[in-house]
Amino acid sequence: MAFHPSQEEAIRHVDGPMMVLAGPGSGKTTVITHRTKYLIEEAGIDPGKILVITFTRAAAKEMEERFIRLMEGRPARVSFGTFHSVFFTILKYAYRYQAADIVREEQRIRYIREMMEQYDVEIEDEREFTASILSEISFVKSEMVSLDHYYSKNCSETVFKKMYQGYEERMRKAGLLDFDDMLVMCYELFRERKDILQAWQNKFSYILIDEFQDINKVQYEIVKMLALPNNNLFIVGDDDQSVYRFRGARPEIMLGFTKDYPQAKLVLLGMNYRSTEEIVEKACALIGHNEKRYEKKLTAARKAGKPVVTSMSTEPQEETLRIVEEIKDYVKAGYELEDIGILYRTNLNPRLMIERLMEYNIPFTMKDSLPNLYEHWITQNVLAYIKAARGNLKRSNILQILNRPNRYISRDALEEADVSWNKVKAQYQDKGWMVERIEQLEYDLLMIRDMPPAAAVNYIRKGVGYDDYIKEYARFRRMKPEELLEVLDQLKESAAGYKTMEQWFAHMEEYKKQLQHQARTQREAARGVSLMTMHSSKGLEFKIVYILDANEGITPHQKAVLDADIEEERRMFYVAMTRAKERLHVCYVRERYGKKQEMSRFIEEYLGKSPSQPLGRQGRPNR
C-alpha cells in the first residue's frame, strides 16, 4: 500500500511523543493501524505492551477489526478500548469492581427525580432538566471543579449543590460508580499508589490515542501519568473538529500538547482523500477564521468537482420543497438516497424537512431520536387551553393551564374530576380579585373556542399571556427565552397550515404515527436519506450533503455568546461541510415565523465576502 510521505513519517515513528494533526478524510485510522503493525513487525515491540484508546465502543471495535484484517488474522495481543473500558479494567484489578457495580442510566435518572421531589423543585420539562443536571454533574467531576466555584446552567447554585451531593450520597450508599467516577478514581489511585501506577506503566509502554481533540482534563492527567517515564505517547486528532465542549472536551489540551512535551514530533496529515477541491477550499476558508488553532494547509486528492452551492429561500417551506425536488433530480441522475445526508444544528430544526419527505414518500433514516414537537410540554400546555375552550374541563386538563401564567388559583380549588368554574369561584367568593381572574380565564377560553388554529395559538401567547409566562420560566431555568419561544413559533407555523382544529389535530396524530413507523423502520433496515445533527455527523461521509438553515441564531446558535462558543460553532459547521465528498449545498432562509432572518456569518466567511454583499437566490453575489 502506498502512503503519503506524512503518513509514512507517522507510521514509522517509534519512540517518544508524537502529535499527528489529522485533517478531515486524511486517513488517520489507516495511520494508527499501520503504525501499530509497524511497532510489532519492524520495531520488535511486544504487542501486549501496546494500548490503543479511542472514545466510543464502536470506534474501538472498528479499529480493532481493521487491525486484525491488516495482520491477516494473525493473533496480536494489542489492547484496544475506550478511556472508560481501560480505566475500569485498572479499577477492577485494584478494587475488585465488577460490571454490576456500574450504575444504570435509569438509576441515575431516578436519583435526580427523587431529589427534585425531596427539595420541591418544580420543573415543566422534567426529562430535559434531569438530563441537563446529570450532564452538569459529569462536567464537574471530569473537570475536577470545586462545587464552591461552579455556576449552574440549569438552576440556582444552592439547588445544584444539593442535587450533586445527594446524587453522590445515593451512589456511595448503593456501592455504585458512574463513568466519571471511573476516571476520577483512576486518577486518585495513580496519584496515591505509585506501585500500581508503575505496574500499569510497565504493562503499556506504547500508547496511541485517536480523536485526541475530544479528551477532557482528567483523562489527559491519567494518560500523562500512564505514559511516564518514556512518554511513548502517539496522539492523533484535529483541533478543528473539537465539538464536545459541553462534555468537557477542550481543544486547548491538544493546543498545549507541545508545551507539555517540548520534544514531541509534529506531523500534519494534510491530504484530504474524501472531498473535492472546492469543498476543501471553502471549508479551510471558514475554519481559518478561528484564532485558537494550529495553522494547517490542507490539499484535496480529488481535484475536479462542482462548486459549493449556497442558496437562499424566502422561507423554510420553500427551502424544504427545493431540497426535495433536488433529491429527486439526484436520484434520476443515478445517485442512491443513501448517498445523501441532511445536517442541521439542533433537533428542533428538521421538523418541516421531515414532514416534506413524508409528503413526497422519500424514505429517510435518523441517527438521533427526534423529539415530537406536538409532545413538547409547551405544546401540551397550548393544546390544553384549546381542549378546555372546546369543552374538555377534566381536572387533569385544567391543571395544565390553571397557573400558566400564574393566577394563584390553588389546585385544591379543583375538587372534582370535572371542573365547574362556578364552584371554583364559590371557593374564592370573599376575594373579588380572584373571582375576576377566574372570570378572565373563562372569557379567554370562550374567545379561543371558535378561532382557527393559528389565531388560537396567537391569542394564547399574546392575549392570555403565555409568552410572558415562558419568559419568566426561562429566567428561573437560566435559559435564553428564545429557546422556548421557538417551540411556540414552530407550533404557530404548523397551525397556520390548517383551517380547522379537526384538520390540525388529525395532522398531529398522523405525524406521531409516522415518527413511530420511522423508529420501527430504523430498527429493521435503515435505508434512505440520512438526517442528523452536525454533532452526530462527525466521522461520517456522504456523496451529497445539505446543511439546513445556515442562519444567525441557528448556526452559530443563539446560545453562543463568548468567543470560545463562536469558535466551537464554527468548528461544528466545518465538520458538517467536510462530510461532503462530491456535492455540498448550504441553505439559508430570508424569513422565519414572519421575522426577517440574517444569513449565517459562516457563509460570508467561507465565501470570503463582506456582509454588505448579499447573496442572490441561487447563491451568486447580487450585482
Side-chain angles (χ1 to χ4, degrees):
M1 183 177 179
F3 296 109
H4 188 273
S6 59
Q7 290 179 322
E8 192 79 50
E9 185 184 349
I11 289 166
R12 290 173 172 275
H13 174 78
V14 179
D15 293 318
M18 172 176 268
M19 175 161 67
V20 180
L21 291 172
S26 60
K28 66 183 178 66
T29 306
T30 298
V31 164
I32 292 170
T33 50
H34 278 82
R35 193 232 174 190
T36 306
K37 182 185 180 193
Y38 184 87
L39 286 176
I40 297 164
E41 294 185 347
E42 304 298 328
I45 307 299
D46 177 354
K49 288 186 171 291
I50 301 171
L51 171 64
V52 181
I53 307 179
T54 188
F55 278 81
T56 65
R57 270 189 300 190
K61 189 167 181 282
E62 188 197 342
M63 189 83 74
E64 185 171 14
E65 284 170 356
R66 282 182 66 169
F67 174 70
I68 289 166
R69 283 199 300 274
L70 190 62
M71 299 297 285
E72 296 170 343
R74 294 192 304 279
R77 302 178 324 281
V78 176
S79 297
F80 289 86
T82 62
F83 278 105
H84 290 114
S85 68
V86 171
F87 296 164
F88 185 63
T89 300
I90 291 167
L91 294 178
K92 265 202 306 194
Y93 282 100
Y95 301 122
R96 300 286 184 266
Y97 274 119
Q98 300 300 319
D101 299 317
I102 301 170
V103 69
R104 295 192 310 277
E105 192 59 23
E106 58 267 28
Q107 289 172 286
R108 300 175 78 220
I109 291 165
R110 193 179 74 240
Y111 292 156
I112 299 299
R113 286 185 173 161
E114 284 171 4
M115 285 182 289
M116 285 168 69
E117 220 168 278
Q118 185 182 340
Y119 301 124
D120 293 325
V121 180
E122 283 193 30
I123 298 291
E124 298 283 4
D125 44 340
E126 190 180 281
R127 190 191 301 177
E128 192 273 334
F129 177 77
T130 305
S132 298
I133 290 292
L134 286 170
S135 175
E136 286 199 86
I137 289 171
S138 174
F139 179 85
V140 168
K141 288 185 185 183
S142 63
E143 286 296 289
M144 300 185 282
V145 177
S146 160
L147 263 187
D148 297 328
H149 301 122
Y150 183 70
Y151 182 81
S152 174
K153 296 182 182 73
N154 286 284
C155 55
S156 72
E157 277 62 66
T158 313
V159 169
F160 179 74
K161 204 168 185 177
K162 283 178 180 174
M163 291 275 189
Y164 183 93
Q165 290 167 339
Y167 172 82
E168 287 291 87
E169 199 178 301
R170 281 164 169 77
M171 290 284 287
R172 296 295 84 84
K173 269 187 186 167
L176 296 170
L177 72 164
D178 62 23
F179 287 119
D180 300 293
D181 292 327
M182 291 179 199
L183 309 185
V184 174
M185 289 172 74
C186 202
Y187 171 75
E188 288 169 351
L189 176 70
F190 280 179
R191 287 279 302 268
E192 290 160 16
R193 292 289 303 272
K194 299 301 175 194
D195 55 330
I196 292 176
L197 171 60
Q198 190 176 3
W200 287 100
Q201 287 169 339
N202 293 338
K203 163 77 177 155
F204 296 126
S205 311
Y206 289 82
I207 302 171
L208 298 86
I209 302 178
D210 186 22
E211 303 283 11
F212 188 80
Q213 74 279 350
D214 295 334
I215 202 166
N216 67 32
K217 187 177 177 182
V218 68
Q219 288 166 341
Y220 186 45
E221 292 301 326
I222 298 168
V223 163
K224 282 198 291 187
M225 288 192 272
L226 195 56
L228 288 168
N230 298 318
N231 293 327
N232 294 325
L233 191 53
F234 184 87
I235 67 158
V236 183
D238 182 6
D239 54 302
D240 289 333
Q241 294 186 69
S242 178
V243 294
Y244 293 116
R245 278 178 78 232
F246 64 94
R247 289 188 198 158
R250 291 281 176 270
E252 294 86 351
I253 295 174
M254 191 164 187
L255 291 169
F257 186 78
T258 48
K259 287 184 189 142
D260 293 333
Y261 298 96
Q263 75 278 33
K265 289 182 179 172
L266 185 64
V267 173
L268 168 66
L269 303 184
M271 181 62 74
N272 180 309
Y273 296 96
R274 175 188 299 150
S275 310
T276 61
E277 197 168 34
E278 288 80 1
I279 293 166
V280 171
E281 280 176 2
K282 290 286 186 284
C284 289
L286 169 77
I287 202 64
H289 284 79
N290 269 6
E291 290 181 7
K292 292 185 176 169
R293 63 184 290 266
Y294 286 109
E295 283 295 323
K296 308 174 191 70
K297 179 162 175 48
L298 303 184
T299 312
R302 304 172 64 182
K303 297 302 175 192
K306 303 281 187 185
V308 171
V309 178
T310 307
S311 51
M312 183 267 287
S313 302
T314 308
E315 37 71 49
Q317 279 86 351
E318 184 188 300
E319 175 186 59
T320 55
L321 184 59
R322 194 186 63 247
I323 292 173
V324 160
E325 294 297 346
E326 288 178 6
I327 287 172
K328 285 157 68 180
D329 289 342
Y330 274 127
V331 171
K332 279 180 197 163
Y335 285 96
E336 300 287 333
L337 288 175
E338 290 74 31
D339 293 331
I340 303 169
I342 299 177
L343 313 183
Y344 37 85
R345 175 61 185 84
T346 74
N347 266 332
L348 267 180
N349 299 137
R351 180 185 58 85
L352 272 177
M353 190 73 246
I354 288 167
E355 291 185 359
R356 191 71 78 185
L357 291 168
M358 287 175 178
E359 184 187 339
Y360 280 80
N361 291 316
I362 295 176
F364 63 93
T365 67
M366 300 193 63
K367 195 165 180 202
D368 315 274
S369 59
L370 183 75
N372 184 346
L373 169 72
Y374 306 118
E375 289 175 356
H376 195 287
W377 65 269
I378 290 176
T379 303
Q380 291 300 307
N381 285 179
V382 171
L383 295 180
Y385 267 106
I386 293 168
K387 287 172 188 170
R390 292 162 64 85
N392 181 345
L393 296 181
K394 292 199 178 300
R395 187 174 187 271
S396 57
N397 192 59
I398 299 302
L399 281 173
Q400 284 202 65
I401 66 173
L402 196 65
N403 288 306
R404 299 179 174 104
N406 205 345
R407 299 178 178 92
Y408 302 96
I409 304 171
S410 168
R411 295 167 69 98
D412 299 334
L414 277 57
E415 293 174 335
E416 296 167 359
D418 290 298
V419 173
S420 158
W421 293 121
N422 286 333
K423 286 184 180 177
V424 177
K425 283 185 280 191
Q427 296 232 27
Y428 290 102
Q429 59 189 342
D430 55 340
K431 292 177 182 164
W433 53 277
M434 283 297 291
V435 173
E436 278 178 32
R437 284 182 178 177
I438 298 161
E439 285 176 344
Q440 179 63 49
L441 175 54
E442 283 185 280
Y443 172 78
D444 287 335
L445 294 175
L446 191 64
M447 291 294 289
I448 294 163
R449 189 176 65 192
D450 298 319
M451 286 180 173
V457 173
N458 203 45
Y459 185 85
I460 293 163
R461 294 183 66 177
K462 310 297 181 192
V464 175
Y466 191 78
D467 272 17
D468 294 331
Y469 163 72
I470 286 297
K471 288 171 190 170
E472 187 60 43
Y473 181 74
R475 272 195 292 277
F476 162 65
R477 279 293 316 278
R478 297 185 171 179
M479 300 169 83
K480 282 199 161 193
E482 291 82 8
E483 288 178 60
L484 299 177
L485 291 171
E486 188 179 350
V487 175
L488 288 162
D489 286 337
Q490 285 214 13
L491 195 62
K492 187 179 168 188
E493 178 183 64
S494 168
Y498 302 91
K499 288 179 181 168
T500 68
M501 288 295 180
E502 285 74 19
Q503 289 172 342
W504 193 32
F505 285 162
H507 163 72
M508 289 184 214
E509 196 52 42
E510 181 57 27
Y511 185 72
K512 181 182 175 180
K513 283 181 189 164
Q514 287 280 6
L515 280 186
Q516 288 169 344
H517 171 71
Q518 182 60 36
R520 280 196 304 275
T521 318
Q522 193 86 350
R523 287 193 295 271
E524 290 154 14
R527 290 189 67 76
V529 176
S530 294
L531 274 71
M532 66 191 72
T533 60
M534 294 178 179
H535 273 116
S536 295
S537 73
K538 195 160 168 281
L540 302 177
E541 57 182 40
F542 301 94
K543 288 182 180 176
I544 302 154
V545 165
Y546 282 88
I547 297 178
L548 274 188
D549 301 332
N551 287 90
E552 285 291 305
I554 293 177
T555 177
H557 197 270
Q558 59 204 8
K559 282 196 286 194
V561 180
L562 306 173
D563 287 347
D565 298 331
I566 295 293
E567 294 218 341
E568 170 118 336
E569 292 284 324
R570 191 177 283 113
R571 290 194 292 271
M572 220 175 299
F573 204 91
Y574 174 74
V575 165
M577 291 179 80
T578 52
R579 299 312 92 198
K581 294 164 76 172
E582 296 174 15
R583 302 299 307 269
L584 173 61
H585 296 259
V586 180
C587 311
Y588 71 103
V589 296
R590 197 167 55 190
E591 192 179 281
R592 175 180 279 102
Y593 316 131
K595 299 170 200 160
K596 187 175 180 295
Q597 300 291 303
E598 295 297 324
M599 175 176 79
S600 171
R601 72 191 72 180
F602 299 153
I603 293 176
E604 293 157 5
E605 290 171 358
Y606 74 66
L607 289 175
K609 293 201 309 298
S610 69
S612 61
Q613 277 184 288
L615 287 176
R617 289 175 67 80
Q618 297 307 314
R620 295 184 291 272
N622 286 332
R623 297 295 176 205

